[in-house]
């Protein structure tokens, strides 16, 4: 216990992060708090969580029931207070503590044996399923799970994955795999029923797949006799209809199964891959991806069954599939064969039709990785320049740094700018000019593209105040003419505020008067103008 607070329980809980409080309150409501005992100022409890064994919670109170200190044995490291402490505090607040029993002679004679740790195929797996189903029910309203509800379900799924992670670290690979694949199936179902726009489900699924892959790889390297039943379990999970339409997740699971295959079980996986390939031939949407993913799983299976040479030969036969070509490049880089990796990338980079809107292809990215890994500075510099001119602006800083290190920057800077302005859209050229504080050149561009003036007003106003403020006023007048609702008026006033912040307060106030007179019947605009005027005066 390393924190000290002097809040009442109610005050203390009001400071807890809402997400943690909500989860702790659910734990309390679900009856997860047990053995809550009070001995004077000290309260202890057993609170069930994502692990099979409950966590120990200790809370120290003052005489006036203020929270002085707390501790929990759970591994939570996301803040000061975990959900188990919250659940225990709510129970204490509701008067559910029992006085500590006096010690008896029998105490200490024989320690209570801990409950037997069940495998994930039994009670633990059933408990995990029940907890997520209960979470889904809690967060379903009128038959729909909104974004916040989806996040809450994902938090509970993350708890199960944390249990699976601990199982894996203890060497309990089958248990970890069973929990992870169950979360994947439930997550795939959730994807069809919930608002997933926050991205939390994608993060949870990625974590589950990573854990499944790690545990399967560790099991494959072990001498365990459970590889076959685990293989069968993964294959069964991959066949689940929950993954229909979610082929990326399905094939990621099958890749894990491939690492555990043996001579007898490989035929099952091959048969399933044939079925999936036949199904891919019946669809137009996503067919290319499904074919590539199918052949990637075949590669992993061959690698597990026949070794790396046979797997490499398989890749060489299917280099027309971009995904397999990328695998071949990765293997070449791992082996230090950078020449062959470069050749594979150049063959595609030279044939791919580059679009000025979508930027460089993956093959250009890989070429950069090859040149960095092999220390080919000259080729890397040339490749960074190519990628910049294809629209990858975040290459600019690295290119500049490497040209400076080679003593070439001063000589090549101006020609590079001319190449950019000749090959890229104006806004990209302007971003580089702003980065280099090329005020004069940037002002020339803003004159030709006046709608960009507010993007660069801070940089340009000091040297060209009159021109910049004139352009700003013109843009604000245009925005006022187009404004039709309060949201538009707020955006209009944001421009006025920005103009004032960068030295154009007088112009902004004159423009406010002009707009009031020009649009007297737009009450909402008048209200927003009044507000921004007060803000400008306050800051002046």
């Amino acid at each position: 216990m390393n924190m000290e607070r002097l809040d009442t329980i109610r005050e203390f809980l009001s400071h807890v992060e809402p997400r943690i409080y909500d989860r702790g309150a659910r734990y309390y409501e679900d009856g997860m708090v047990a053995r809550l005992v009070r001995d004077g100022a000290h309260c202890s409890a057993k609170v069930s969580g994502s692990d099979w064994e409950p966590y120990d919670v200790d809370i120290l109170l003052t005489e006036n029931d203020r929270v002085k200190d707390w501790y929990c044995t759970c591994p939570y490291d996301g803040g000061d207070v975990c959900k188990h402490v919250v659940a225990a505090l709510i129970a204490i607040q509701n008067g559910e503590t029992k006085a500590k029993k006096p010690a008896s002679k029998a105490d200490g004679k024989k320690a209570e044996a801990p409950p037997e740790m069940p495998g994930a195929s039994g009670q633990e797996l059933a408990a995990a399923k029940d907890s997520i189903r209960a979470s889904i029910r809690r967060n379903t309203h009128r038959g729909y799970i909104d974004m916040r509800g989806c996040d809450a379900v994902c938090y509970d799924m993350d708890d199960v994955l944390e249990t699976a992670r601990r199982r894996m670290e203890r060497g309990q690979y089958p248990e970890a795999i069973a929990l992870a694949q169950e979360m994947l199936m439930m997550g795939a179902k959730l994807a069809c029923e919930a608002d997933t726009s926050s991205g939390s489900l994608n993060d949870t699924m990625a974590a589950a797949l990573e854990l499944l892959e790690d545990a399967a790889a560790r099991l494959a390297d072990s001498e365990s006799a459970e590889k076959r039943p685990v293989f069968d379990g993964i294959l069964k999970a991959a066949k689940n209809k929950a993954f229909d339409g979610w082929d990326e997740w399905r094939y990621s699971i099958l890749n894990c199964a491939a690492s555990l295959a043996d001579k007898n079980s490989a035929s099952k996986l091959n048969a399933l891959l044939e079925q999936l390939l036949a199904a891919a031939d019946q669809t137009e949407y996503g067919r290319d991806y499904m074919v590539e993913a199918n052949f990637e799983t075949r590669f992993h299976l061959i690698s597990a069954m026949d070794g790396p040479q046979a797997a490499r030969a398989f890749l060489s036969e299917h280099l027309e599939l971009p995904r397999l070509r990328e695998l071949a490049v990765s293997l070449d880089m791992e082996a230090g064969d950078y020449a062959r990796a470069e050749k594979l990338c150049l063959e595609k980079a030279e044939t791919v039709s580059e679009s000025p809107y979508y930027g460089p292809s993956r093959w250009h990215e890989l070429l950069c990785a090859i040149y960095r890994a092999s220390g080919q500075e000259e080729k890397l510099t040339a490749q960074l320049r190519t990628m910049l001119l294809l629209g990858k602006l975040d290459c600019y800083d690295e290119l500049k740094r490497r040209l400076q290190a080679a003593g070439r920057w001063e000589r090549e800077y101006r020609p590079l700018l001319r190449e950019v302005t000749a090959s890229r859209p104006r806004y990209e050229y302007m971003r580089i000019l702003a980065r280099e504080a090329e005020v004069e050149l940037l002002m020339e561009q803003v004159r030709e593209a006046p709608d960009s003036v507010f993007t660069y007003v801070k940089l340009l106003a000091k040297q060209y105040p009159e021109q910049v403020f004139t352009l700003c006023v013109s843009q604000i007048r245009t925005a006022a003419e187009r404004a039709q609702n309060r949201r538009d008026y707020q955006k209009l006033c944001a421009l006025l505020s920005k103009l004032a912040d960068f030295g154009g307060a007088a112009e902004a106030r004159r423009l406010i008067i002009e707009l009031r007179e020009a649009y007297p019947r737009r009450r909402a605009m008048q209200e927003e103008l009044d507000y921004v005027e007060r803000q400008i005066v306050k800051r002046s």
Side-chain angles (χ1 to χ4, degrees):
M1 294 188 242
N2 57 5
M3 302 290 293
E4 187 165 339
R5 296 272 181 94
L6 291 175
D7 297 330
T8 64
I9 292 177
R10 186 180 298 278
E11 291 170 340
F12 182 89
L13 291 174
S14 71
H15 295 301
V16 174
E17 183 183 350
R19 174 174 66 89
I20 300 301
Y21 177 83
D22 290 345
R23 298 176 75 186
R26 289 205 303 272
Y27 268 41
Y28 168 74
E29 292 167 2
D30 291 344
M32 308 290 266
V33 181
R35 303 183 196 176
L36 180 55
V37 176
R38 181 162 186 170
D39 182 13
H42 176 251
C43 296
S44 63
K46 296 282 187 181
V47 182
S48 299
S50 57
D51 209 345
W52 175 250
E53 295 179 13
Y55 298 114
D56 294 319
V57 174
D58 289 292
I59 297 171
L60 186 63
L61 303 174
T62 67
E63 293 180 358
N64 298 322
D65 274 1
R66 292 178 177 272
V67 181
K68 187 176 182 181
D69 215 343
W70 63 92
Y71 177 74
C72 180
T73 58
C74 78
Y76 177 67
D77 60 359
D80 294 340
V81 186
C82 67
K83 57 184 177 286
H84 311 102
V85 169
V86 170
L89 283 170
I90 294 174
I92 295 170
Q93 185 176 243
N94 291 339
E96 298 181 12
T97 57
K98 295 180 180 179
K100 183 178 180 181
K101 295 180 180 179
S104 66
K105 292 182 180 180
D107 290 343
K109 280 187 177 180
K110 185 176 181 181
E112 182 181 352
E116 183 180 352
M117 185 71 69
S121 58
Q123 290 175 292
E124 186 174 51
L125 184 57
K129 291 180 184 178
D130 289 343
S131 70
I132 303 306
R133 286 170 182 156
S135 180
I136 291 173
R137 286 194 298 272
R138 280 194 305 271
N139 292 287
T140 301
H141 305 288
R142 297 181 180 178
Y144 180 67
I145 303 174
D146 62 14
M147 184 178 71
R148 184 176 178 183
C150 181
D151 289 346
V153 175
C154 288
Y155 294 144
D156 292 331
M157 291 172 66
D158 291 341
D159 284 344
V160 175
L161 292 176
E162 184 58 37
T163 298
R165 192 168 289 106
R166 290 196 291 273
R167 292 283 173 268
M168 180 177 69
E169 295 305 329
R170 294 171 188 165
Q172 297 170 307
Y173 306 132
E175 289 83 353
I177 289 169
L179 287 168
Q181 69 188 28
E182 189 62 43
M183 292 305 99
L184 286 166
M185 284 189 287
M186 296 188 118
K189 293 175 183 176
L190 184 64
C192 300
E193 302 169 355
D195 178 354
T196 63
S197 55
S198 72
S200 59
L201 181 59
N202 281 337
D203 292 340
T204 296
M205 295 295 278
L209 287 169
E210 182 179 357
L211 195 151
L212 181 65
E213 181 180 351
D214 195 358
R218 296 189 191 194
L219 180 60
D221 290 338
S222 72
E223 298 299 324
S224 173
E226 297 182 87
K227 294 180 186 179
R228 180 61 183 270
V230 170
F231 170 90
D232 290 338
I234 295 177
L235 211 62
K236 182 178 179 181
K239 293 177 182 178
N240 195 292
K241 291 184 178 180
F243 295 109
D244 290 351
W246 306 104
D247 297 285
E248 182 175 357
W249 293 336
R250 170 173 274 146
Y251 277 109
S252 294
I253 293 171
L254 290 175
N255 289 341
C256 296
S259 66
L260 297 170
D262 57 29
K263 294 292 183 183
N264 294 322
S265 60
S267 59
K268 288 186 177 181
L269 180 52
N270 273 319
L272 177 58
L273 290 173
E274 288 295 337
Q275 292 176 17
L276 293 173
L277 191 61
D281 288 336
Q282 302 302 314
T283 182
E284 294 182 8
Y285 179 75
R287 180 187 179 281
D288 290 345
Y289 167 81
M290 287 188 280
V291 170
E292 289 184 35
N294 192 290
F295 276 74
E296 181 183 1
T297 301
R298 294 171 191 267
F299 159 77
H300 289 296
L301 181 59
I302 293 170
S303 182
M305 300 299 301
D306 303 318
Q309 288 187 342
R312 178 62 209 227
F314 176 79
L315 290 181
S316 298
E317 294 171 2
H318 299 284
L319 291 176
E320 76 282 0
L321 300 175
R323 195 159 175 166
L324 269 62
R325 184 179 285 259
E326 282 192 43
L327 278 172
V329 170
S330 297
L331 292 178
D332 287 338
M333 290 182 67
E334 289 175 11
D337 192 345
Y338 298 110
R340 185 159 68 169
E342 179 187 25
K343 180 175 181 293
L344 289 173
C345 291
L346 286 173
E347 287 173 355
K348 293 298 290 184
E350 291 170 356
T351 59
V352 171
S353 176
E354 305 295 347
S355 166
Y357 301 102
Y358 296 106
S361 69
R362 173 65 176 152
W363 308 108
H364 287 95
E365 301 272 4
L366 287 172
L367 283 168
C368 275
I370 291 167
Y371 298 145
R372 284 193 196 97
S374 58
Q376 299 182 68
E377 282 294 321
E378 193 67 30
K379 285 187 175 182
L380 176 56
T381 301
Q383 186 60 29
L384 288 169
R385 182 188 227 97
T386 296
M387 292 181 67
L388 173 66
L389 298 178
L390 286 172
K392 192 169 179 61
L393 290 188
D394 53 5
C395 287
Y396 181 82
D397 288 337
E398 183 181 359
L399 175 60
K400 178 179 179 179
R401 188 170 62 252
R402 292 184 181 278
L403 287 173
Q404 285 175 328
R408 296 162 48 190
W409 178 248
E410 295 299 327
R411 183 174 70 253
E412 298 191 27
Y413 170 57
R414 294 295 171 184
L416 179 63
L417 281 184
R418 288 194 291 272
E419 287 183 88
V420 171
T421 192
S423 60
R424 302 304 307 160
R426 185 195 304 273
Y427 72 90
E428 292 184 11
Y429 176 53
M430 293 171 74
R431 284 172 60 184
I432 293 177
L433 293 178
R435 189 174 301 188
E436 294 294 339
E438 292 278 6
V439 178
E440 184 177 349
L441 292 175
L442 184 58
M443 190 67 231
E444 290 177 6
Q445 296 298 315
V446 170
R447 290 190 197 103
E448 296 181 20
D451 57 340
S452 66
V453 63
F454 279 101
T455 304
Y456 303 106
V457 60
K458 181 179 180 179
L459 180 61
L460 299 175
K462 291 182 181 179
Q463 190 165 329
Y464 299 99
E466 184 176 345
Q467 295 181 53
V468 169
F469 295 156
T470 298
L471 289 172
C472 286
V473 167
S474 175
Q475 290 299 306
I476 290 172
R477 285 173 177 153
T478 301
E481 291 173 3
R482 296 173 179 172
Q484 297 181 348
N485 52 50
R486 186 175 291 273
R487 187 174 182 181
D488 292 341
Y489 304 148
Q490 289 172 346
K491 291 179 180 179
L492 170 70
C493 290
L495 297 180
L496 285 163
S497 180
K498 196 170 186 179
L499 172 60
D501 286 343
F502 295 114
E507 288 81 357
R509 285 196 293 269
R510 285 196 295 270
L511 197 50
I512 289 171
I513 295 171
E514 176 187 320
L515 294 175
R516 279 204 189 102
E517 294 174 352
Y519 304 98
R521 296 184 181 180
R522 297 188 181 183
R523 178 180 293 181
M525 178 188 282
Q526 298 289 331
E527 291 173 356
E528 296 298 333
L529 289 172
D530 289 344
Y531 175 78
V532 76
E533 183 178 40
R534 290 195 298 271
Q535 297 301 312
I536 291 172
V537 170
K538 188 183 296 184
R539 295 197 298 266
S540 297

